[in-house]
Amino acid sequence: MPSLPTPPSTEPPTPLLPPPQDADEGRYLALRTRDARFDGRFFTGVTSTGIYCRPVCSVRTPKRENCRFFDLAAQAERAGFRPCLRCRPEVSPTSLVWSTQDASHLLVHHALRLLDAPDALQSDPHSAQALAERLGVSDRHLRRLFEAQLGLSPLQYLQTRRLLTAKQLLTDTPLPVTQVALASGFGSVRRFNAAFAQHYGLNPTALRRSGARMGERAGEGATATLRLAYRPPLDAPALLAFFAKRQFHGVEWAQPEGGAHSLRRTVRLRPSVGAQPITGWIQAQFDAARHQVLLQTSDSLYPVLPAVLRRVRALLDLDADPTPINAVLHADFPHGDGLRVPGAWDGLELAVRAVLGQQITVAAARTLGQRLVERFGEPIATPWPQLNRLFPTADVLARAEGDALGQLGIVRQRQAAIVALARAVDAGQITLDSTADVPATTRALCALPGIGDWTAQYIAMRVLRWPDAFVAGDVALHKALGVQGQKQPARAATEASAAWQPWRSYAVVRAWASLEASAEPAAPTPPIANPLSNP
């Protein structure tokens, strides 16, 4: 691991930690200070206890000579350490490296990203070859890279993900052990029990009892609230305000103000291809003091909780690492260190929102989307009157007739774009989630009628979770960067963005925020045009 970087600040940069003699000394200092900014970036195995912890663990700091440091939880488990029941490594944010490494590092990290996907938990335990084929390399080459860079195999990493997912479900939910085993990707309870006995030295039922006792000592109790950690800073009010400004009544409800910073919405998930969709609701509430999100879901979503957890992490951008992002962007956007890139629960929903917003204001796009939800959405019962509908499915929109869409005020060009987009998603021709290939997906999107580069880049930013997407044709961005008066503002914006790579998605969000912050405080903030300048 490289030396621990300097944290972002509105003041002149100061070292985050005294220059360590080596990387492990810096990690130990982060462990002693329980610095949440390093959560998920390393794990500490304590030789005197046989347990590994997150840097934020509240137990007494172990002696330096008893500490071993690992980049991944899977590495700690391969070395024989068991996860801590107090700090719970399964709730920590992941640590992703994008385009700042060489090709081998990028290949391994892309493989880890695919293995982190909920679908991977249910894959054949001998499907490493399928993963290698998807990455365009041989199975042998992929295993060799994993062993050289991580010291473990792809299947060992996947096994750890399954075990930690099961551990979280056992600790946070009342799901029966059998359902936990299946949801976590184990083919049978016997294999599930054997894996727990081998890795953790106890059976799942005993772990559930131990976790409950630990929660009681911590004053938390055993509840059905799932915890998702993140690295600070995170500006929860700004993130929720972004959602609130664009929300459709009945589908989502964001509360950016007051003491309870929370987001509620209706959701639909399809467990597998051809399976019946599962519907329900979620509520995510920020606990800023502990740097975590408290997630509650309807009982109907319990069988697909691993997928729910993954989508909520992407929706709220909880896996972002602010340190390298702020190191690149702080000089130009000093007031945006806590901003995140808002994600999307469903890729098609976000893509349709983008199409509806072409060349009109956010408020006007929300009005069109509201009509679409009321005309084609499915009713659903929730505990809150604000939530009562689901966003339309791909197959419903694929069959939508032009007259029906036209009656909603949607112009002909956008009618064609919505129907073509829905048909492509429904047929499996385009995948809109964080595991999709970014260049191939953006090309496929631009090949559809009525969809241009702005739409594709916006989808890449919010759905594909690509941190270097850049909406060069965005009118609001041009205004924020002061290039709106130039002859070719898109080119000028692109040239300015070179200094922000590989974090241009975050630069766009900060630029938008700076534009809103500069508005006259005495008057209501005018809606920012959604500048979808498609040809």
Side-chain angles (χ1 to χ4, degrees):
M1 179 177 177
S3 299
L4 297 173
T6 300
S9 172
T10 56
E11 303 297 329
T14 56
L16 177 60
L17 299 170
Q21 295 179 354
D22 54 48
D24 284 351
E25 292 302 321
R27 291 176 175 183
Y28 185 68
L29 188 50
L31 176 67
R32 286 177 53 192
T33 57
R34 296 183 176 87
D35 196 327
R37 289 172 292 184
F38 298 101
D39 192 10
R41 292 177 61 186
F42 70 89
F43 298 89
T44 305
V46 183
T47 57
S48 58
T49 63
I51 292 173
Y52 72 94
C53 299
R54 297 158 59 195
V56 296
C57 191
S58 60
V59 300
R60 188 172 67 177
T61 304
K63 295 180 179 179
R64 173 65 183 88
E65 58 267 26
N66 294 336
C67 295
R68 292 182 58 189
F69 298 101
F70 304 92
D71 292 327
L72 301 171
Q75 294 170 327
E77 295 202 3
R78 186 183 185 186
F81 293 93
R82 295 175 285 109
C84 176
L85 295 180
R86 184 180 295 273
C87 69
R88 301 180 53 195
E90 70 270 16
V91 306
S92 65
T94 59
S95 185
L96 298 178
V97 177
W98 291 96
S99 56
T100 57
Q101 300 284 353
D102 60 28
S104 296
H105 279 82
L106 287 175
L107 182 66
V108 170
H109 281 280
H110 187 48
L112 294 178
R113 194 180 186 198
L114 294 175
L115 290 173
D116 283 338
D119 292 345
L121 297 177
Q122 306 297 332
S123 62
D124 186 331
H126 303 290
S127 62
Q129 183 174 355
L131 174 64
E133 290 176 354
R134 182 170 180 179
L135 294 169
V137 298
S138 68
D139 179 24
R140 180 182 177 185
H141 181 58
L142 183 62
R143 284 187 281 108
R144 183 168 59 243
L145 289 178
F146 263 69
E147 288 290 346
Q149 296 187 29
L150 306 177
L152 47 83
S153 70
L155 293 183
Q156 287 173 323
Y157 181 85
L158 181 58
Q159 182 77 333
T160 298
R161 293 298 304 164
R162 287 171 171 162
L163 288 169
L164 291 178
T165 298
K167 182 176 179 296
Q168 183 168 18
L169 298 183
L170 287 168
T171 306
D172 288 342
T173 76
L175 276 177
V177 171
T178 300
Q179 293 186 32
V180 170
L182 297 177
S184 304
F186 292 91
S188 68
V189 176
R190 180 182 60 81
R191 292 180 181 177
F192 182 47
N193 290 335
F196 259 75
Q198 178 183 356
H199 286 260
Y200 299 158
L202 71 169
N203 61 47
T205 304
L207 186 143
R208 170 169 275 173
R209 288 197 299 266
S210 299
R213 289 195 300 270
M214 184 65 69
E216 290 166 2
R217 287 198 297 271
E220 297 172 0
T223 70
T225 299
L226 296 111
R227 291 160 174 79
L228 297 85
Y230 61 84
R231 305 177 188 93
L234 191 156
D235 190 339
L239 181 62
L240 294 173
F242 186 95
F243 289 122
K245 191 173 183 178
R246 294 158 176 80
Q247 65 190 8
F248 299 150
H249 297 299
V251 174
E252 57 190 338
W253 182 78
Q255 186 177 7
E257 301 175 351
H261 296 148
S262 61
L263 174 69
R264 300 169 182 167
R265 66 160 296 144
T266 60
V267 299
R268 180 191 290 107
L269 276 172
R270 191 180 296 275
S272 59
V273 178
Q276 288 296 317
I278 296 176
T279 61
W281 53 263
I282 63 169
Q283 175 180 255
Q285 185 170 349
F286 284 86
D287 182 354
R290 299 185 180 184
H291 311 301
Q292 63 184 10
V293 169
L294 306 179
L295 176 67
Q296 293 181 319
T297 76
S298 59
D299 294 349
S300 61
L301 297 177
Y302 279 177
V304 289
L305 275 181
V308 172
L309 293 172
R310 175 63 182 254
R311 291 205 186 195
V312 171
R313 297 201 70 91
L315 176 67
L316 304 177
D317 199 14
L318 299 183
D319 290 324
D321 189 346
T323 300
I325 298 172
N326 294 339
V328 173
L329 302 182
H330 179 80
D332 292 320
F333 305 99
H335 302 293
D337 287 351
L339 297 178
R340 301 293 174 101
V341 175
W345 173 265
D346 179 78
L348 176 65
E349 177 184 329
L350 189 280
V352 171
R353 287 171 179 263
V355 170
L356 291 175
Q358 293 178 5
Q359 300 175 333
I360 59 177
T361 65
V362 171
R366 188 174 63 243
T367 299
L368 293 177
Q370 190 69 50
R371 295 171 183 170
L372 190 74
V373 167
E374 293 171 357
R375 171 65 176 82
F376 295 101
E378 176 185 343
I380 184 175
T382 76
W384 306 286
Q386 301 97 335
L387 300 181
N388 53 32
R389 298 195 77 80
L390 292 157
F391 193 83
T393 60
D395 60 320
V396 168
L397 293 179
R399 299 193 306 268
E401 298 180 355
D403 290 343
L405 293 175
Q407 292 172 2
L408 304 180
I410 302 173
V411 300
R412 190 176 301 277
Q413 182 182 14
R414 291 168 203 159
Q415 295 173 20
I418 291 172
V419 173
L421 184 63
R423 288 176 178 174
V425 171
D426 189 44
Q429 299 170 351
I430 293 179
T431 300
L432 296 179
D433 61 36
S434 60
T435 66
D437 179 271
V438 175
T441 303
T442 53
R443 288 195 299 269
L445 287 169
C446 290
L448 297 176
I451 294 182
D453 183 68
W454 193 100
T455 313
Q457 290 295 313
Y458 189 68
I459 293 172
M461 181 173 74
R462 295 193 58 191
V463 176
L464 308 186
R465 309 307 299 156
W466 183 241
D468 201 36
F470 192 68
V471 286
D474 189 285
V475 174
L477 178 65
H478 298 165
K479 185 176 180 181
L481 300 181
V483 299
Q484 72 273 28
Q486 297 195 21
K487 185 176 181 180
Q488 294 181 313
R491 175 179 294 183
T494 301
E495 292 174 353
S497 73
W500 306 324
Q501 293 178 307
W503 309 113
R504 292 187 297 176
S505 292
Y506 292 87
V508 169
V509 171
R510 296 185 186 205
W512 285 342
S514 68
L515 189 63
E516 292 195 1
S518 65
E520 287 293 333
T525 303
I528 299 175
N530 191 335
L532 210 52
S533 303
N534 293 325

